[in-house]
């Protein structure tokens, strides 16, 4: 369990090389020279995750215009991500971290409270990487409602 890992501004990003919904491998280096939002969410096709993903989808043009790219990471399989991307018309990379090793490395896997009960699982988290790949900001236990609007304000997008 990785409850002790907590990334902060100025840290090096732990990296990843994960398959997207099409099977292509995506890495942070693919976005060098641009800011990158890396957000971790628990599961495709769930209400909070769908709200957040559709919010990113609906604001993607303004984020991209500000030089910001977006990737979402979850423990879902590539096949499940492909189904969800098609169902919700999600046009940014959704990455499969089925063994949650990347979530652990980023501190997005650990103890959380769900319906008053402690569980171990994916902690909804968002990281902004600067153009040089370092962590610009890190937020854990994110509320999906209004999250993208708060991020757009932070990123001036």
């Amino acid at each position: 369990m990785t409850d002790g890992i907590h990334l902060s501004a100025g840290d090096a990003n732990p990296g990843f090389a994960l398959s997207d919904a099409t099977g292509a491998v995506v890495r942070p280096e693919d976005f060098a020279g641009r800011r990158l939002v890396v957000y971790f969410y628990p599961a495709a096709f769930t209400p909070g995750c769908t709200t957040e993903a559709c919010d990113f989808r609906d604001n993607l043009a303004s984020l991209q215009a500000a030089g910001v790219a977006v990737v979402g990471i979850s423990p879902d399989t590539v096949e499940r991500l492909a189904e969800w991307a098609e169902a919700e018309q999600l046009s940014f990379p959704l990455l499969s971290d089925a063994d949650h090793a990347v979530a652990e490395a980023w501190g997005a896997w650990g103890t959380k409270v769900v319906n008053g009960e402690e569980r171990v699982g994916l902690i909804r988290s968002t990281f902004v990487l600067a153009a040089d790949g370092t962590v610009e900001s890190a937020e854990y236990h994110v509320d999906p409602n209004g999250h993208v609007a708060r991020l757009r304000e932070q990123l001036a997008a």
Side-chain angles (χ1 to χ4, degrees):
M1 194 161 46
T2 60
D3 291 334
I5 295 174
H6 190 87
L7 296 177
S8 300
D11 288 346
N13 84 70
F16 56 79
L18 297 171
S19 295
D20 70 8
T22 71
V25 175
V26 176
R27 297 171 178 80
E29 301 81 45
D30 298 340
F31 304 93
R34 291 187 283 168
R35 291 160 99 189
L36 176 64
V37 171
V38 178
Y39 83 98
F40 289 84
Y41 60 95
F45 290 104
T46 58
C49 296
T50 299
T51 293
E52 188 176 30
C54 290
D55 212 0
F56 273 114
R57 176 200 65 204
D58 295 346
N59 288 281
L60 193 58
S62 65
L63 288 163
Q64 289 174 334
V68 179
V70 175
V71 298
I73 301 176
S74 75
D76 294 298
T77 64
V78 168
E79 296 78 16
R80 183 97 168 139
L81 293 175
E83 292 170 13
W84 193 45
E86 183 177 343
E88 299 298 338
Q89 300 176 352
L90 303 173
S91 57
F92 54 89
L94 300 172
L95 309 180
S96 174
D97 182 25
D99 66 0
H100 54 79
V102 172
E104 289 182 40
W106 289 65
W109 188 270
T111 304
K112 61 184 183 176
V113 177
V114 178
N115 298 325
E117 188 179 308
E118 270 197 11
R119 296 183 184 170
V120 174
L122 193 130
I123 299 165
R124 188 183 308 275
S125 305
T126 300
F127 305 88
V128 176
L129 302 185
D132 67 2
T134 59
V135 175
E136 184 175 312
S137 67
E139 185 180 359
Y140 295 91
H141 302 283
V142 171
D143 179 350
N145 296 310
H147 175 57
V148 176
R150 291 187 301 275
L151 251 175
R152 284 186 60 200
E153 188 174 307
Q154 172 190 332
L155 298 170

